Amino acid sequence: MKKIFWLASYPRSGNTWMRAILSSLFFTKNGKFEEKLLNHIPNFDNPSNYDFIKSLNVEDYNSLHKLPIISKYWSEAQKRLEVDGKFAFYKTHSGNVTLDKKKYTDVKNVLGLIYLIRDPRDVVVSYSKFTNKSIEETIKSITSKICITWSGLPKKNPYPIILSSWEIHYKTWMMLDVPRLVIKYEDLLKNTKKTIEQIMGFFHKNYKLQFENIDLKISNIVSSTDFKKLHDKEKGEGFLEAPYSFSKKGNSELFFRRGVDEQWKDELTKENINIIEKCFEKTMKEFGYLK
């Protein structure tokens, strides 16, 4: 069976930054990041991964913007993914949900998982600016069990992706019985080098992978994927994966926006904070976001 290694997270939790790190670690000899390396860790929730349905069922293919239809093909689409060697990395923001007894993914298709988690108060701020929606709208979204985002914009009928709430998203992925590594965005931000070493240790322990030129690679990865450097590069040259509406010249919000933690302290009202903390209290305490 083909095997996927998932890089999963709620939106605005450092997924693309981690892709830059992983692609530099696995697909270069010297650890120096270039934007084209992101192609080695593509987004699974891409309409092109469902093109095979057109030859199987045209009616379904034309209805993939409906959750009951696309969910029928989650597993089959994953089985058809191209995998070179033992496994391939794929990014997703989907929750590992079950719809009509159909799982988003399961152990038959999966080799392992890295899950990125970020303080939901900061997620709200970043996601609000990213989607150009109010803080209140964004809080309503990430606390909803039925929160949905879309893939394939600005396509006429984009494909739905079930996020669910910030907490449920995390819990659904923790139910997947495969080797997994959970990384806090805040740890990645404060000590990138230590996080890279943690990743290397995870792959060595679980998959017996050996890395060469370790000191050189880590040094170059830390330098070439520095968040401020990615921010400045995007500001000057653009970023190919930025959403359509955010890639137009003159838009003030970048994909690599700030790369900081605790921005919520200056952005959220007491009421905003109380709603988030009350809704996610247990998991926030688990990760030290609340005492």
Side-chain angles (χ1 to χ4, degrees), residues 172-185:
T172 61
W173 281 104
M174 293 306 101
M175 293 171 64
L176 191 63
D177 189 17
V178 296
R180 59 180 181 259
L181 176 63
V182 179
I183 295 174
K184 288 176 64 175
Y185 175 87

Side-chain angles (χ1 to χ4, degrees), residues 100-117:
D100 297 332
K101 297 183 180 180
K102 300 173 185 69
K103 294 182 179 180
Y104 178 76
T105 195
D106 60 42
V107 293
K108 293 180 181 179
N109 294 327
V110 182
L111 186 66
L113 163 71
I114 288 179
Y115 189 90
L116 283 159
I117 195 162

Side-chain angles (χ1 to χ4, degrees), residues 12-230:
R12 309 309 291 170
S13 300
N15 199 304
T16 300
W17 188 15
M18 179 54 71
R19 285 170 65 211
I21 291 170
L22 287 176
S23 62
S24 301
L25 176 62
F26 279 88
F27 303 108
T28 72
K29 292 182 178 180
N30 59 15
K32 291 185 178 180
F33 173 69
E34 298 179 17
E35 191 172 333
K36 63 183 180 182
L37 289 170
L38 294 176
N39 294 330
H40 289 285
I41 310 179
N43 181 10
F44 168 71
D45 303 299
N46 188 311
S48 64
N49 287 327
Y50 293 92
D51 284 347
F52 69 92
I53 300 170
K54 193 171 186 178
S55 62
L56 301 178
N57 188 319
V58 174
E59 185 177 350
D60 276 1
Y61 179 76
N62 291 327
S63 301
L64 289 172
H65 58 286
K66 301 176 182 178
L67 272 170
I69 303 300
I70 196 170
S71 64
K72 295 192 320 187
Y73 296 97
W74 284 336
S75 181
E76 184 61 30
Q78 290 168 28
K79 291 177 184 177
R80 291 171 179 256
L81 293 174
E82 293 184 9
V83 175
D84 294 327
K86 295 182 178 180
F87 72 95
F89 289 104
Y90 277 90
K91 159 193 173 175
T92 185
H93 285 313
S94 176
N96 186 27
V97 296
T98 300
L99 182 67
D100 297 332
K101 297 183 180 180
K102 300 173 185 69
K103 294 182 179 180
Y104 178 76
T105 195
D106 60 42
V107 293
K108 293 180 181 179
N109 294 327
V110 182
L111 186 66
L113 163 71
I114 288 179
Y115 189 90
L116 283 159
I117 195 162
R118 185 182 189 183
D119 188 325
R121 296 166 296 192
D122 276 332
V123 169
V124 163
V125 174
S126 183
Y127 205 18
S128 169
K129 295 183 183 298
F130 183 72
T131 58
N132 200 30
K133 293 183 178 180
S134 70
I135 292 291
E136 288 72 25
E137 285 180 289
T138 307
I139 290 173
K140 186 176 181 180
S141 292
I142 80 158
T143 56
S144 170
K145 294 180 180 179
I146 58 172
C147 180
I148 294 173
T149 188
W150 304 91
S151 180
L153 294 171
K155 186 176 177 179
K156 183 178 179 181
N157 291 315
Y159 297 174
I161 301 168
I162 302 177
L163 298 178
S164 193
S165 75
W166 175 86
E167 186 172 62
I168 292 175
H169 190 282
Y170 162 70
K171 289 181 177 180
T172 61
W173 281 104
M174 293 306 101
M175 293 171 64
L176 191 63
D177 189 17
V178 296
R180 59 180 181 259
L181 176 63
V182 179
I183 295 174
K184 288 176 64 175
Y185 175 87
E186 295 77 14
D187 292 341
L188 177 62
L189 191 66
K190 292 172 183 176
N191 197 332
T192 308
K193 180 177 183 292
K194 184 177 180 180
T195 302
I196 296 170
E197 292 171 343
Q198 185 181 9
I199 292 168
M200 287 181 165
F202 171 80
F203 278 96
H204 177 69
K205 176 183 177 181
N206 292 285
Y207 309 104
K208 309 304 179 187
L209 290 181
Q210 299 286 350
F211 295 91
E212 299 179 351
N213 306 318
I214 291 176
D215 291 338
L216 175 65
K217 267 197 166 184
I218 292 177
S219 177
N220 283 337
I221 291 171
V222 171
S223 174
S224 62
T225 65
D226 175 76
F227 198 96
K228 186 177 186 307
K229 186 174 289 186
L230 295 174

